[in-house]
Amino acid sequence: MDGRSESVLRWSAPEALGTTGGAPASLLWNFPVLLKDNIETADMPTTAGSLALVDNAPGRDAPLVTRLREAGAIILGKTNLSEWANIRSNNSISGWSGVGGQTRNPYDPARTPCGSSSGSAVAVAIGLAPAAIGTETDGSITCPASVNGVVGFKPTVGLVSRTHIVPIAHSQDTAGPIAATVEDAAVVLTAIAGSDPLDPATIEADARKVDYRAALDANSLQGARLGVMRFLVSNYSTETQAEFERALTNLRAAGAEIVEITEAPENFRQIGGWELTVLLTELKHDLNLYLASTDPQQVRTRTLAEVIAFNAAEPRETVLFGQELFDRAEATGGLDDPAYVEARERSFRAAGPDGIDRMMATHGVVALTAPTTSRAWTNDREDDDNAQGSASRLAAVAGYPHLTVPMGFDRGMPVGLSFIGGKWDDARILSLGHAYEQATHERRPPPAPAQPSSSTGG
């Protein structure tokens, strides 16, 4: 470690980094990849950052890990995350977990790395690996990628298996790549995408997946109509808005036609409330299923209720924030509860068919764009430097693809540009982001940490 981030990388893998003497089997041959610590591997514990899971080592690879290994990738280790992927409390601190401590933003350690895939994004930003795997329910790939100045891609839900990944909610969860370039993200996605008989959401994945790297086209912005979600833009800082306007100028210069979308989708402001009902209800159901699949000798907490009791008895877990969202999830009524069924139907329709799909069809655009999120805010709850703006919710709730690419800087902190499309538009969205990246080259790695001065004594 080079001092720029506390608790980014959790373990080192035992594999040697040399070749086997044969020809490379794929573009991922000996390609180093890090995994968020909610993704199971046969050779390392998987904790989701919780002390309740510190001994969770059931000896199995998640299917996406199997795919990476078969493609020749080297699994370097696990990265820290926001504990339980940021679903334990409204007051959680991004990048903090009871197991790994606090991950720091390498551009300014006093500012958030965002979450929950904070360690994955920071590891790529400081060069520990060219790519890492994160997971997203709503913003947990795109936000940390944006504020740490790297590429993050949340695929269509159902393109990548979620089996043996500690869950939040099956309606919205997906794994996806965080990388230094869109090309690297596309190479990784090509390896991990595909159907899994244990994950019904992926039934179409084999038929839908393509070679995402081969589909990249540096000229794909030429003639492309892009819809600006102008109804979001006023939420961002003045500096981020200025960077976004510069990005639009660059998009036009690359041949894109910019279409202004000023009106938010119908029921846009109600989506968040419905979404929370869905997430908390599915959390109880999905986490209970996951815990039941672990080794009872390694994981003594077999249900969400037992995790809540564990946290209440373990001061190290609640030293910074509580678990009120866990409590609310435990009180939910299950997947047959009419309130849940209605919330899922309404939220998906508002975000997908009546949201992204309708905006794209009405305005004749191939993708939507906006700033991904604000510059990284501070971890100090007493100041007024807070998050300003986010483009993640519509794509998250609909389960549609969302890419963030470095766009520029706001007061020295990275900010990203989002490209969002319809279901299974993954290849097109990656290609548009690649074209923007190649036209602008906005990424600037974080500064090296200050070295302590040396002195000689008598």
Side-chain angles (χ1 to χ4, degrees), residues 107-268:
Y107 290 85
D108 182 348
R111 293 181 177 272
T112 184
C114 202
S116 63
S117 304
S118 49
S120 295
V122 171
V124 172
I126 64 177
L128 290 180
I133 304 297
T135 63
E136 174 160 331
T137 308
D138 188 339
S140 289
I141 289 174
T142 53
C143 181
S146 177
V147 305
N148 289 287
V150 294
V151 171
F153 184 62
K154 183 198 82 74
T156 296
V157 171
L159 185 61
V160 178
S161 168
R162 290 86 57 87
T163 300
H164 304 327
I165 300 177
V166 183
I168 290 180
H170 59 266
S171 289
Q172 295 180 206
D173 287 352
T174 185
I178 296 173
T181 67
V182 176
E183 182 178 12
D184 284 345
V187 170
V188 171
L189 182 64
T190 301
I192 65 176
S195 299
D196 167 21
L198 297 178
D199 183 354
T202 65
I203 191 170
E204 293 186 60
D206 280 349
R208 296 287 186 171
K209 70 173 291 187
V210 300
D211 183 332
Y212 293 99
R213 178 178 179 269
L216 298 178
D217 179 359
N219 295 313
S220 60
L221 285 169
Q222 188 68 43
R225 284 171 59 88
L226 304 179
V228 173
M229 292 186 286
R230 188 60 68 180
F231 57 88
L232 293 177
V233 175
S234 63
N235 296 323
Y236 298 90
S237 70
T238 300
E239 295 90 344
T240 293
Q241 290 185 49
E243 289 295 87
F244 180 60
E245 295 305 322
R246 187 170 65 86
L248 294 180
T249 297
N250 289 331
L251 288 167
R252 291 187 183 98
E257 181 180 349
I258 302 302
V259 179
E260 296 284 338
I261 303 175
T262 57
E263 295 296 323
E266 185 180 4
N267 296 322
F268 175 69

Side-chain angles (χ1 to χ4, degrees), residues 33-69:
V33 178
L34 287 160
L35 304 173
K36 186 176 179 178
D37 185 23
N38 60 349
I39 301 169
E40 289 193 2
T41 59
D43 50 2
M44 307 174 219
T46 301
T47 74
S50 171
L51 296 171
L53 298 186
V54 73
D55 296 320
N56 180 34
R60 60 196 183 191
D61 279 345
L64 75 82
V65 176
T66 299
R67 288 176 176 272
L68 286 169
R69 294 194 199 275

Side-chain angles (χ1 to χ4, degrees), residues 305-323:
E306 291 181 3
V307 172
I308 292 170
F310 174 90
N311 290 339
E314 174 50 78
R316 291 176 294 172
E317 285 289 354
T318 55
V319 64
L320 295 177
F321 52 87
Q323 54 180 338

Side-chain angles (χ1 to χ4, degrees), residues 49 89-90 124 192-193 222 336 367 418:
S89 169
N90 282 323
V124 172
I192 65 176
Q222 188 68 43
D336 293 328
S418 285

